[in-house]
Amino acid sequence: MVKLKLPNPGLEDRIPSHAELEVLEKEEADSRPKWDNKAQYMLTCVGFCVGLGNVWRFPYLCQSHGGGAFMIPFLILLVLEGIPLLHLEFAIGQRLRKGSVGVWSSIHPTLKGVGIASMFVSFLVGLYYNTIIAWVMWYFFNSFQEPLPWSNCPLNDNRTDYVEECAKSSPVDYFWYRETLNISTSIEDSGSILWWLLLCLTCAWGVLYVCTIRGIETTGKAVYVTSTLPYVVLTIFLIRGLTLKGSTNGIVYLFTPNVSELANPVTWLDAGAQVFYSFSLAFGGLISFSSYNSVHNNCEKDAVIVSVINGFTSIYAATVIYSIIGFRATARYDDCFDKNILTLMNAFDLPEGNVTQDNFEQMQQLCNMTDPATFATLKFETCDLETFLNDGAEGTGLAFIVFTEAITKMPVSPLWSILFFIMLFCLGLSSMFGNMEGVLVPLQDLKIIPARVPKELITGLVCLVCYFIAFIFVLNSGNYWLSLFDGYAGSIPLLIIAFCEMFSVVYIYGIDRFNKDIEFMIGHKPNIFWQVTWRLISPLIMLVIFFFYFVVKVNQELLYSVWDPSYEEFPKTEKVEYPPWVYAIIVILAGVPSLTIPTFAIYKAIRNHCQKKNDRTGLIATSETSINGNLKNSS
C-alpha cells in the first residue's frame, strides 16, 4: 500500500476532533440546516446525480460503442472510479461538516482553490443547464395542442405549398431550429433576443429560485416529486413502448454486443467520462449535502446505494429510449417501403394490395421482366432498418428531434409529449438543486456576502445574475453558445478538481486519519477495496482519462455544427471552424476553474512567506501592551 503523506502542519487546529464533532453537531442543531429524514437526503443526492445525461447521453454512447459491449467498461469504471470518489465526497463532507470551500481549506489553506474551482464550474454549468430547462418548458407549453406543432410543416405565405426550409428537412427539425431557436448561420451572427425563449428562461429561473429559496429546507421538499416522477414516467413509456410495433428492434439493437469495440481506447475513455459526469462529482454539491447529515450516518452504504441507482437508471433509461427509437425506425422503414410500393404500383398500374413488403422483391423482378424499359426509369429509395436504427443522436438532438418525431407517430401524441417533457423538467431541476448548492454554500464559506444578509436575498441575487448572463443563450446564436459551454465548462476542470480532491484526502489529509474518521462515523474501517481504489486505482484512472482527453481535444480541429438552409448538403448540419476569438472563451471556460487551484496555492504560499518575514521583523520591533494585557508589535 502507498503510505506517502505530505507534511501538513496545523491540521489538528483546523479540524474538530471526534469528541468535539459530536458536541458541534448538537450546538449546530438550531443554526445549521439538516435533513428532515434519510429519504429526503437520498432523494436529493439521487436527483443531483441522475440528470439529463442519463437519458440522452448514455443511450447514444451505447449505440456508438457496440451496444451491450459498452456496458462492460461502463460498469467496471463505475465500480473503480465512480463509487470510490462518491464515497470520498460523502465521507469528507460529513466529517468536516462544511461546504466544498470550507472542507478543502480546513484540510490545508492552500487547497481553498479546489473549492473555488468547484464553485466556478457549478456556476458555469448552471448557466446553460437551466437554459435547457427553458427549452423543455417551451416544448411542454406547446404540447397542449392537437396535432402537435412539430408534426406537420407550415404553409408558405402564398398558402400554396409548405415552407421550403421545412419541406427540405422535416417538421421536427423545422420546429426545433426555426420555430424554437430561430437559429442564425454563425456564432458571430448573434441576432436578437427571442422573446418566447426569454419568457421560458424567466419561468425556469423563477421556479428554481422558489425551490432553492432557503437551501435544503425547500429543495428537500421538492425532491419528493422531482426525483421520483422521472421513474414513474420512464416506466409508463417502457410499458407503452413495448406495445408499439418495432420497439423490440430498438432494444435488441441497443444491447447486441459488438465485442471488437472493447479494443477501442475511445470506448473506455467515453465510459470513464460518462461515469464521472453522471455522478455529478467535483461540483461541490454532494459535499455540501453530506455535511448536513448526522455524524454517525452510514456514508459508505449511501455511496453504494446512490451508485447502484445511478447505474441502473442509465441502463433503464437507455432501454426505454431505444424501445421508442425502435418504433420510430420501424415506422420510417415502413414509410420508405410504402413509397417504393406506391412507385411500383403507379408505374405498372397494379391493383392496391397486390404488392406488400413480403413479396416486393418478387414483384420487382416480375415487373422488370414484363417491361424492362419502364422499370429502368423508376427510382426506389434504399430501405434498411439498421440504417434507421443507426440514425442516433445525443443531447438536444435526441430530446427535441428524434424523440419528438417518435411521439408524433404515437396515438394521443400530446399526452406522451406532456409526460416526456415533465420528466425532462424534473430531471433537469433536481440536478440544478445541486448546482445551486455548489454555488451558494461556497459564497457563504468565503464570507463574500455579510452573514447578516438573509439567505433568501443571496439566493435571489445569484439567480438574478445567472438569469441576466444566460441571455446569451436566448439569442439567435444561443444554441452555438450553449454547445460551447457544454463542451468545455464541465469537462477538463471537473477531472482536475476530482483528482485534486482524492490526492488531497489521501496524501495531504492522510489516509490513515481518514480511515479512523470513517471508523468513528460508521463503526468499521474501510475495507481493502476502498483502500486500493482511493490510494492508487481511481487517481490513476483519472490521470489516464485526463491525459487521453487532453490529447484528443488538443489534436481535434475545433468545429461546430451550423444549421444553414443554403448548405449544399442540407438538411445535414455543416461543420464550421470556430472564429479565432472563441479560443479565448474556451480558455476562460476550461482554464479559469482549472487554474484557480494552482493560482490560489501560489498566492497563499507567497502570502505566508511575506507574513513570516513580517513576523521576523516584528521580533525586533518595539512592543507595547494592549488594553487586554497582550503584547502587540508596533514597527
Side-chain angles (χ1 to χ4, degrees), residues 591-610:
V592 169
S594 305
L595 294 173
T596 301
I597 300 169
T599 303
F600 191 86
I602 293 166
Y603 158 74
K604 200 72 179 174
I606 293 170
R607 190 179 168 194
N608 288 346
H609 177 72
C610 293

Side-chain angles (χ1 to χ4, degrees), residues 508-524:
I508 298 177
Y509 185 74
I511 192 67
D512 292 333
R513 180 190 297 275
F514 191 52
N515 287 337
K516 287 173 186 172
D517 288 344
I518 292 175
E519 185 179 17
F520 165 73
M521 290 190 294
I522 68 174
H524 63 84

Side-chain angles (χ1 to χ4, degrees), residues 192-224:
S192 57
I193 288 175
L194 308 172
W195 65 265
W196 56 93
L197 289 184
L198 182 62
L199 283 177
C200 292
L201 187 72
T202 307
C203 289
W205 280 106
V207 169
L208 184 66
Y209 172 64
V210 170
C211 291
T212 57
I213 190 166
R214 292 193 57 77
I216 67 162
E217 294 169 43
T218 46
T219 57
K221 307 292 187 295
V223 291
Y224 289 119

Side-chain angles (χ1 to χ4, degrees), residues 532-551:
V532 172
T533 50
W534 283 335
R535 294 173 196 236
L536 188 63
I537 296 174
S538 295
L540 199 60
I541 288 171
M542 280 186 277
L543 278 178
V544 169
I545 290 172
F546 171 74
F547 175 75
F548 278 106
Y549 189 89
F550 190 76
V551 168

Side-chain angles (χ1 to χ4, degrees), residues 308-546:
V308 169
I309 291 172
N310 199 350
F312 164 77
T313 304
S314 294
I315 296 167
Y316 187 54
T319 307
V320 175
I321 295 297
Y322 265 86
S323 71
I324 304 297
I325 287 177
F327 160 69
R328 168 185 175 261
T330 305
R332 291 174 77 183
Y333 176 76
D334 289 343
D335 288 344
C336 179
F337 241 116
D338 289 343
K339 286 177 186 175
N340 287 346
I341 289 169
L342 195 63
T343 302
L344 194 65
M345 285 169 59
N346 289 343
F348 288 90
D349 201 21
L350 298 171
E352 196 172 332
N354 259 28
V355 186
T356 63
Q357 286 188 18
D358 296 330
N359 69 0
F360 182 70
E361 287 184 12
Q362 290 93 324
M363 292 301 291
Q364 274 184 314
Q365 291 168 5
L366 184 64
C367 292
N368 191 21
M369 289 166 61
T370 307
D371 188 352
T374 305
F375 187 83
T377 62
L378 301 180
K379 289 184 179 179
F380 295 106
E381 293 183 22
T382 305
C383 303
D384 179 39
L385 181 62
E386 190 159 328
T387 303
F388 290 126
L389 285 166
N390 202 35
D391 184 19
E394 64 170 320
T396 53
L398 176 64
F400 300 111
I401 297 174
V402 174
F403 215 85
T404 49
E405 184 189 335
I407 286 171
T408 59
K409 299 177 188 297
M410 294 166 70
V412 203
S413 53
L415 172 65
W416 301 109
S417 183
I418 290 165
L419 279 174
F420 178 63
F421 289 110
I422 283 175
M423 178 186 75
L424 291 186
F425 176 77
C426 290
L427 284 169
L429 189 62
S430 55
S431 294
M432 277 302 297
F433 293 161
N435 275 326
M436 287 299 290
E437 186 75 12
V439 174
L440 292 168
V441 175
L443 279 177
Q444 292 168 341
D445 289 347
L446 288 167
K447 296 181 172 58
I448 293 172
I449 300 167
R452 65 178 179 276
V453 178
K455 190 185 288 184
E456 295 87 345
L457 184 58
I458 297 172
T459 307
L461 286 171
V462 170
C463 286
L464 201 62
V465 169
C466 291
Y467 169 69
F468 282 123
I469 296 173
F471 277 21
I472 195 171
F473 303 121
V474 293
L475 296 168
N476 294 104
S477 60
N479 190 47
Y480 305 135
W481 281 101
L482 191 135
S483 299
L484 190 68
F485 270 66
D486 189 33
Y488 296 97
S491 53
I492 285 177
L494 287 177
L495 284 166
I496 293 170
I497 293 165
F499 177 79
C500 291
E501 285 184 355
M502 196 161 274
F503 184 86
S504 301
V505 170
V506 175
Y507 299 114
I508 298 177
Y509 185 74
I511 192 67
D512 292 333
R513 180 190 297 275
F514 191 52
N515 287 337
K516 287 173 186 172
D517 288 344
I518 292 175
E519 185 179 17
F520 165 73
M521 290 190 294
I522 68 174
H524 63 84
K525 275 189 177 180
N527 59 34
I528 189 70
F529 166 77
W530 302 113
Q531 303 295 335
V532 172
T533 50
W534 283 335
R535 294 173 196 236
L536 188 63
I537 296 174
S538 295
L540 199 60
I541 288 171
M542 280 186 277
L543 278 178
V544 169
I545 290 172
F546 171 74

